[in-house]
């Protein structure tokens, strides 16, 4: 029996998970005609102009918490190679958007793909529950290998023990192999990484990967042919492919690395591949338990994690399966991709740029700005977005209760397309949205094609970066079309539970 | 408690208005001096005869010294007021109330805006430090949402709505073509207006008010003193102001086919003036045609047409220069452009000319025996706006 009973000591593992892939897809074949080279086959995910590693991390983390609504993580651990800020903590914005209590620590690990694997290891080995969020924007100069091979996305793993809630995948153990060799390097702030000769890195990665894999199997008392699913990831494509071939696992055990559709999402990729594997198992229902799932991360050495799935995974329904997100994107022209990345300077709208956000005003309204919490007048029931002290109906003063709106679904009542408003990517599509459980908000739409919006469209809130002024990122919520029914169902059941 | 108004207690005895143009060669000081000089001359007063000043500007400058310095006023009270695009109207209201209170004998309301020095097309709001969650949409986009909402509610097809909006714009350009103070002085055929590329929603450039610099002013005195200054004073019948609570933006009951603040403001203004049937009593109106759908909805909120019928009346020419109730006979914001602090006083200036029979023959309103004019000025967006209405008359009682 894989799920421990009350006499068993608590086990640790994954209690919930989420993954986020942005809506846009770049066809790699579009690169070479412009850049003169590079590209290749397949597509990669592209973060929208209003997304960064913080906002993508929020989206992934929301799904992880939806999956385990009763688990309260004791810390939020955020890893990225492309932090939105230096000096200040990026995890605090994620923390605020998730409405985690102030006594939940929020910590960044920024700078390497390995940092995400490192936080996961700390969380799995640690004593309390933690939400491990990894988010990355991958790219390079036009025509580069990193631009084509990379992808943008985020993953979130809610780690804890069976005392915190049902464990979907028990952590059996793993191993590390740390190695110092410079096969890629980038000074902070630079747009591109530089690479050493390919076979040099491959040699070191294969050695580290084999060492960690052997140690991990030994530590958990398993042999390679007992492993049912293994995902290998890292930025060195030849090493990833080479190690996969030499793990000694059975045919069909090696997971699709999603390179053809998503690209390698750097720090986010280990969690993304684990989420994808768990999704696939969960959907098989009755046979999801007692499967051995391993993840191998090649970054400055290697990290290996070995899990065993539980009965709880059989009963689990993913909120937004990775496969659905992979299949659900829409294309973006290469020129727009370059413009969004700042690689192609385009003429800005001839309107004044928005002023920088007031830090004190933002701090006062953090529940609204980050948490998307409005207020409902207790006497009239009128919902106020943003929250108000005096009701618009009946005039009651300071008799409001908070109304969390982040999981609310609404309908487009009317909309407009503003071709003059300042935007990093005009035109602005803007809609008056009436939410199902009350409340109206005029709100910008995102991840839409302007000519396809209709009155009556169903939309849901998504956390975005509205803009940046004087280096201060302005985070707030927009609305995007509801593209599948699952998030609605999940949010509804979480609320009713 | 009540809104009692100051019917027939205050009169306008002099007005002036600069041309509203892209005044590249004039600064705020020049515009203020030009409008003030014309106004002093109109009333037959010198600046020292004026006891107090109210200066309306949204963002041309700060404090009363924006006026006292260029005019070299000595030891006079000058109050700067601001109420978004109703700023000029607000200056008139404050000056009139100050005289009605007995505090001053002679007051000046003057409004100015220097929009073109900003370096951008369109109006740009003064940046106020905030939490970054406020909308940054253009006014055109917000008002563009009125047209489809109205069409859906009253069964007006997209083509019919387009014809209505183009009629409104074409009418105002027709009137403006006959006004030497207007910036745009060319008639524009409705078909051309309809054919323009869209800037926001279904609105093209000719559905939007122009942008201009300008200034306008009025001298107000007690009604009993008015004939000492002119034999044709214009009496203030009502001054009504509503600052909306913004509920339309967040209330699902708001449907974008009306402006609640303006309907309430109109009721108050008609009550103050003792107007029972505006269609029978108002000779002309200057209204805030910032965008063509705005003027359409205003016709119903001001009770110039029954709900759901204004679009037909527009097409039938009811509000044309020779129609049953001429609206924007001076060409409106459409032809003048919109120097925010001055527009409300520019509207009053047209009422001043028309009620005194001084509008040139080519744009004079039909003789109906009606002696009242209405000016309407708004600031903000559908769902959250300030509204101002004045009712002015050529006689007392």
């Amino acid at each position: 029996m894989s799920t421990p009973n009350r006499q068993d000591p608590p086990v640790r593992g994954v209690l919930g998970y989420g993954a986020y892939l942005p809506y846009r897809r770049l066809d790699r074949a579009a690169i070479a005609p412009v850049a003169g080279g590079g590209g290749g086959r397949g597509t990669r995910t592209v973060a929208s102009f209003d997304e960064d590693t913080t906002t993508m991390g929020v989206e992934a983390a929301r799904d992880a918490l939806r999956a385990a609504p009763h688990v309260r993580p004791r810390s939020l651990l955020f890893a990225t190679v492309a932090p939105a800020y230096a000096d200040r903590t990026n995890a605090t914005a994620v923390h605020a958007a998730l409405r985690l209590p102030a006594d939940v620590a929020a910590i960044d690990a920024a700078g390497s793909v390995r940092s995400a694997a490192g936080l996961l290891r700390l969380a799995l080995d640690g004593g309390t529950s933690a939400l491990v969020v990894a988010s990355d924007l991958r790219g390079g100069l036009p025509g580069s290998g990193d631009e084509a091979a990379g992808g943008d996305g985020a993953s979130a793993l809610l780690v804890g023990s069976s005392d915190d809630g049902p464990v979907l995948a028990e952590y059996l153990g793993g191993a590390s192999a740390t190695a110092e060799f410079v096969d890629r390097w980038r000074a902070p702030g630079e747009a591109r990484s530089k690479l050493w000769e390919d076979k040099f890195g491959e040699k070191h990665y294969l050695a580290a990967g084999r060492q960690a894999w052997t140690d991990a199997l030994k530590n958990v008392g398993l042999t390679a042919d007992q492993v049912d699913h293994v995902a290998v990831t890292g930025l060195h494509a030849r090493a990833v492919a080479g190690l996969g071939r030499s793990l000694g696992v059975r045919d069909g055990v090696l997971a699709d690395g999603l390179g053809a559709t998503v690209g390698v999402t750097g720090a986010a990729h280990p969690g993304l591949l684990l989420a994808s594997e768990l999704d696939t198992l969960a959907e098989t229902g009755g046979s999801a338990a007692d499967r051995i799932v391993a993840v191998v991360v090649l970054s400055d050495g290697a990290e290996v994690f070995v899990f065993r799935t539980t009965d709880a995974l059989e009963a689990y329904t993913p909120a937004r399966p990775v496969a659905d997100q992979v299949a659900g994107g829409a294309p973006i022209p290469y020129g727009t991709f370059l413009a969004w990345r700042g690689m192609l300077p385009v003429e800005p709208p001839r309107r004044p740029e928005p002023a920088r956000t007031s830090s004190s005003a933002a701090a006062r309204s953090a529940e609204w700005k980050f948490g998307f919490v409005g207020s409902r007048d207790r006497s009239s029931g009128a919902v106020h977005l943003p929250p108000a002290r005096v009701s618009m109906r009946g005039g009651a003063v300071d008799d409001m209760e908070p109304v969390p709106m982040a999981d609310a679904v609404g309908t487009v009542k009317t909309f407009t397309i503003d071709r003059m408003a300042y935007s990093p990517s005009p035109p602005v599509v803007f809609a008056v949205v009436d939410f199902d459980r009350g409340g109206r908000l005029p709100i910008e739409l995102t991840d839409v094609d302007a000519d396809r919006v209709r009155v009556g469209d169903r939309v849901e809130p998504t956390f975005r970066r509205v803009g940046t002024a004087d280096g201060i990122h302005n985070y707030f919520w927009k609305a995007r079309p509801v593209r599948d029914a699952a998030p609605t169902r999940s949010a509804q059941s979480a609320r009713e539970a | 408690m009540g809104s009692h108004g100051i019917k027939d207690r205050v009169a306008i005895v002099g007005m002036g208005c600069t041309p509203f143009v892209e005044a590249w060669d004039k600064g705020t000081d020049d515009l203020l001096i030009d409008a003030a000089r014309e106004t002093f001359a109109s009333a037959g007063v010198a600046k020292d005869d004026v006891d107090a000043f109210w200066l309306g500007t949204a963002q041309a400058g700060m404090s009363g010294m924006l006026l006292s310095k260029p005019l070299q006023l000595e030891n006079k009270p000058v109050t700067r007021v601001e109420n978004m695009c109703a700023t000029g109207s607000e200056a008139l209201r404050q000056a009139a109330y100050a005289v009605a209170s007995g505090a001053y004998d002679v007051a000046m309301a003057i409004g100015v805006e220097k929009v073109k020095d900003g370096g951008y097309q369109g109006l740009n709001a003064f940046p106020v430090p905030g939490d970054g969650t406020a909308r940054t949409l253009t006014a055109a986009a917000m008002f563009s949402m009125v047209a489809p909402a109205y069409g859906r509610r009253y069964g007006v097809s997209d083509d019919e709505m387009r014809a209505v909006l183009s009629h409104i714009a074409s009418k105002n350009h027709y009137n403006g073509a006959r006004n030497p103070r207007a910036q745009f002085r060319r008639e524009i055929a409705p078909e051309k207006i309809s054919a323009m590329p869209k800037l926001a929603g279904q609105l093209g450039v000719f559905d939007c008010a122009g942008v201009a610099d300008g200034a306008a002013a009025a001298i107000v005195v007690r009604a009993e003193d008015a004939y000492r200054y002119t034999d044709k004073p214009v009496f203030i019948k009502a001054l009504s102001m509503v600052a909306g609570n913004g509920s339309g933006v967040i209330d699902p009951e708001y449907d974008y086919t009306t402006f609640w603040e303006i309907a309430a403001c109109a009721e108050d203004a008609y009550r103050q003036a003792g107007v029972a049937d505006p269609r029978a009593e108002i000779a002309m109106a200057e209204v805030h045609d910032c965008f063509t759908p705005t003027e359409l909805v205003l016709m119903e909120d001001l009770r110039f047409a029954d709900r759901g019928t204004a679009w037909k009346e527009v097409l039938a020419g009811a509000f044309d220069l020779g129609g049953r109730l001429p609206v924007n006979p001076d060409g409106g914001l459409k032809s003048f452009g919109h120097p925010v602090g001055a527009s409300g006083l520019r509207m009053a200036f047209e009422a001043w000319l028309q009620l005194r029979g001084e509008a040139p023959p080519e744009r004079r309103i039909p003789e109906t025996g009606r002696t009242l004019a209405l000016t309407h000025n708004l600031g903000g967006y559908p769902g959250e706006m300030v509204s101002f209405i004045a009712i002015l008359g050529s006689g007392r009682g």
Side-chain angles (χ1 to χ4, degrees):
Chain A
M1 177 157 173
S2 57
T3 303
N5 62 35
R6 294 199 180 281
Q7 282 73 45
D8 292 330
V11 299
R12 292 187 65 75
V14 176
L15 307 173
Y17 61 90
Y20 175 74
L21 296 177
Y23 180 57
R24 296 296 175 179
R25 302 288 183 276
L26 176 66
D27 184 342
R28 295 189 177 105
I31 295 174
V34 176
R41 285 193 298 271
T43 62
R44 59 157 291 170
T45 53
V46 175
S48 177
F49 69 93
D50 59 4
E51 297 186 290
D52 62 16
T53 52
T54 299
T55 67
M56 292 194 296
V58 169
E59 292 296 315
R62 290 171 72 202
D63 275 354
L65 293 180
R66 278 184 182 129
H70 302 296
V71 178
R72 297 170 63 88
R74 295 305 309 155
S75 61
L76 171 65
L77 309 177
F78 180 73
T80 180
V81 180
Y85 286 117
D87 278 4
R88 65 179 308 274
T89 303
N90 296 282
T92 51
V94 181
H95 181 282
L98 299 174
R99 303 184 62 220
L100 296 175
D103 65 356
V104 172
I107 297 163
D108 283 359
S112 70
V113 168
R114 191 182 178 89
S115 57
L119 289 183
L120 179 60
R121 178 160 312 292
L122 290 174
L124 289 166
D125 288 345
T128 62
S129 55
L131 181 59
V132 182
V133 182
S135 184
D136 221 345
L137 287 160
R138 299 299 312 167
L141 293 181
S144 67
D146 277 354
E147 176 194 59
D152 304 330
S155 58
L157 300 171
L158 182 57
V159 171
S161 81
S162 45
D163 287 343
D164 299 308
V167 173
L168 303 175
E170 178 189 354
Y171 178 56
L172 301 178
S176 293
T178 299
E180 168 60 17
F181 56 95
V182 181
D183 73 314
R184 65 162 54 233
W185 64 99
R186 172 153 60 121
E190 282 188 355
R192 62 177 289 225
S193 295
K194 295 177 186 172
L195 302 173
W196 202 263
E197 195 271 335
D198 222 19
K199 287 182 181 172
F200 164 73
E202 183 182 17
K203 167 178 170 298
H204 282 277
Y205 275 125
L206 288 177
R210 286 191 192 109
Q211 181 66 52
W213 178 247
T214 305
D215 290 351
L217 290 176
K218 191 172 153 197
N219 290 344
V220 301
L222 292 170
T223 57
D225 60 357
Q226 292 176 290
V227 174
D228 299 302
H229 304 271
V230 61
V232 184
T233 180
L235 300 182
H236 197 303
R238 285 175 61 109
V240 167
L243 184 68
R245 285 190 298 269
S246 65
L247 292 174
V249 294
R250 290 174 277 123
D251 285 349
V253 165
L254 190 63
D256 172 14
L258 302 179
T261 49
V262 173
V264 177
T265 61
H269 220 59
L272 177 69
L273 294 181
L274 180 59
S276 179
E277 288 302 303
L278 295 179
D279 277 350
T280 307
L281 285 168
E283 283 167 2
T284 64
S287 59
D290 280 327
R291 311 290 283 182
I292 302 298
V293 179
V295 178
V296 181
V297 185
L298 298 183
S299 174
D300 309 308
E303 296 282 344
V304 179
F305 304 89
V306 185
F307 300 92
R308 180 167 57 215
T309 59
T310 72
D311 296 347
L313 189 63
E314 293 181 353
Y316 174 69
T317 306
R320 286 177 214 266
V322 172
D324 288 4
Q325 295 190 58
V326 169
I332 184 163
Y334 184 52
T336 306
F337 166 79
L338 291 177
W340 283 359
R341 290 302 172 96
M343 293 288 174
L344 180 67
V346 294
E347 179 76 6
R350 286 168 61 190
R351 304 287 295 174
E353 287 190 40
R356 72 178 183 187
T357 302
S358 162
S359 285
S360 49
R364 281 197 301 276
S365 78
E367 271 284 278
W368 167 244
K369 181 179 173 65
F370 292 91
F372 210 42
V373 179
S375 65
R376 181 188 283 111
D377 169 21
R378 288 191 178 89
S379 43
S380 76
V383 173
H384 294 70
L385 308 174
R389 291 186 59 194
V390 182
S391 178
M392 64 176 164
R393 291 217 191 99
V397 181
D398 288 338
D399 190 24
M400 299 256 185
E401 59 191 5
V403 190
M405 300 299 293
D407 287 334
V409 174
T411 301
V412 172
K413 179 80 176 173
T414 183
F415 70 96
T416 187
I417 295 159
D418 195 336
R419 296 185 162 81
M420 296 183 293
Y422 185 87
S423 167
S425 190
V428 173
V429 184
F430 203 85
V432 173
V433 172
D434 288 349
F435 290 99
D436 292 359
R437 292 190 297 275
R440 162 181 288 188
L441 187 67
I443 188 170
E444 187 172 343
L445 300 187
T446 191
D447 294 347
V448 291
D449 293 312
D451 55 359
R452 302 188 68 168
V453 179
R454 297 287 178 268
V455 169
D457 283 356
R458 301 282 285 160
V459 296
E460 60 186 352
T462 177
F463 188 72
R464 296 297 165 119
R465 191 166 88 188
V466 176
T468 299
D470 196 20
I472 297 179
H473 303 313
N474 182 22
Y475 293 108
F476 190 49
W477 296 75
K478 296 185 180 179
R480 68 177 167 213
V482 175
R483 293 204 165 87
D484 58 71
T488 319
R489 255 201 326 268
S490 172
Q492 194 72 40
S493 61
R495 186 167 301 278
E496 287 163 2
Chain B
M1 302 258 285
S3 172
H4 303 298
I6 55 166
K7 184 182 179 185
D8 289 335
R9 286 160 60 183
V10 170
I12 299 172
V13 295
M15 288 203 76
C17 182
T18 68
F20 280 25
V21 291
E22 295 182 334
W24 304 116
D25 55 348
K26 284 181 189 284
T28 305
D29 290 3
D30 300 316
L31 296 170
L32 285 168
I33 292 165
D34 292 352
R37 285 183 62 180
E38 185 183 5
T39 305
F40 294 144
S42 168
V45 300
K47 67 182 180 186
D48 291 340
D49 299 328
V50 180
D51 302 310
F53 298 79
W54 274 264
L55 164 67
T57 190
Q59 54 195 61
M62 306 285 281
S63 96
M65 284 192 290
L66 187 69
L67 183 70
S68 61
K69 287 167 68 178
L71 293 194
Q72 285 298 299
L73 303 176
E74 290 183 35
N75 305 317
K76 298 285 188 181
V78 186
T79 306
R80 181 224 167 173
V81 300
E82 185 280 325
N83 228 335
M84 297 173 93
C85 298
T87 291
S89 296
E90 187 66 271
L92 175 64
R93 180 165 166 268
Q94 298 309 317
Y97 282 178
V99 169
S101 77
Y104 300 106
D105 296 329
V106 181
M108 175 179 246
I110 185 164
V112 68
E113 212 69 53
K114 192 84 188 73
V115 180
K116 295 303 297 186
D117 281 0
Y120 293 103
Q121 289 291 330
L123 302 175
N124 295 296
F126 191 75
V128 177
D131 68 5
T133 66
R135 289 185 314 285
T136 54
L137 218 57
T138 60
M142 293 302 287
F143 280 94
S144 77
M145 293 196 275
V146 167
Y150 186 98
R152 267 197 307 278
R153 172 147 182 189
Y154 296 118
V156 187
S157 73
D158 289 352
D159 286 347
E160 286 171 329
M161 179 58 68
R162 188 57 259 168
V164 170
L165 301 180
S166 294
H167 186 105
I168 289 170
S170 181
K171 171 200 67 136
N172 290 347
H173 277 298
Y174 176 93
N175 297 348
R178 284 149 183 78
N179 193 334
R181 286 183 171 83
Q183 176 176 195
F184 303 110
R185 300 203 55 211
R186 277 216 321 246
E187 293 178 27
I188 305 179
E191 300 72 34
K192 183 174 177 188
I193 294 165
S194 294
M196 293 305 286
K198 304 304 177 242
L199 299 176
Q202 287 308 304
L203 303 187
V205 68
F206 287 136
D207 289 293
C208 306
V211 176
D213 304 322
I219 299 283
V220 294
V221 301
R222 280 187 296 272
E224 55 267 36
D225 300 335
Y227 289 99
R228 287 165 40 194
Y229 296 89
T230 174
D231 55 1
K232 289 190 286 187
V234 167
F235 296 92
I236 290 175
K237 306 292 182 179
L239 296 167
S240 181
M241 174 84 215
V242 169
N245 66 352
S247 62
V249 173
I250 60 169
D251 188 342
E253 288 185 15
Y254 180 65
D255 73 355
Y256 285 82
T257 67
T258 174
F259 306 127
W260 291 341
E261 300 89 341
I262 291 169
C265 189
E267 289 312 304
D268 180 49
Y270 292 142
R271 196 164 47 240
Q272 287 182 26
V275 169
D277 180 359
R279 284 175 239 191
E281 297 176 61
I282 306 283
M284 59 149 281
E286 284 286 317
V287 306
H288 195 92
D289 58 320
C290 51
F291 303 96
T292 48
T294 318
E295 184 169 322
L296 171 65
V297 168
L298 283 171
M299 297 303 98
E300 298 179 8
D301 285 332
L302 296 172
R303 289 177 28 205
F304 294 172
D306 293 332
R307 290 277 172 213
T309 68
W311 68 278
K312 290 180 192 160
E313 301 237 30
V314 164
L315 289 176
F319 311 113
D320 292 0
L321 189 57
R324 67 166 170 81
L325 203 173
V327 171
N328 291 329
D330 73 349
L333 297 162
K334 190 81 212 49
S335 300
F336 267 76
H338 182 27
V340 176
S343 286
L345 283 158
R346 182 268 300 164
M347 295 170 173
F349 181 73
E350 179 67 5
W352 163 263
L353 293 179
Q354 294 281 5
L355 290 175
R356 287 160 55 98
E358 291 174 355
E362 61 270 24
R363 70 162 207 278
R364 195 170 295 168
I365 60 172
E367 186 55 56
T368 57
R370 298 177 220 154
T371 59
L372 298 180
L374 179 147
T375 70
H376 163 267
N377 201 197
L378 69 82
Y381 301 113
E384 52 175 15
M385 61 172 59
V386 296
S387 171
F388 170 87
I389 293 169
I391 298 174
L392 307 172
S394 56
R396 272 183 102 174

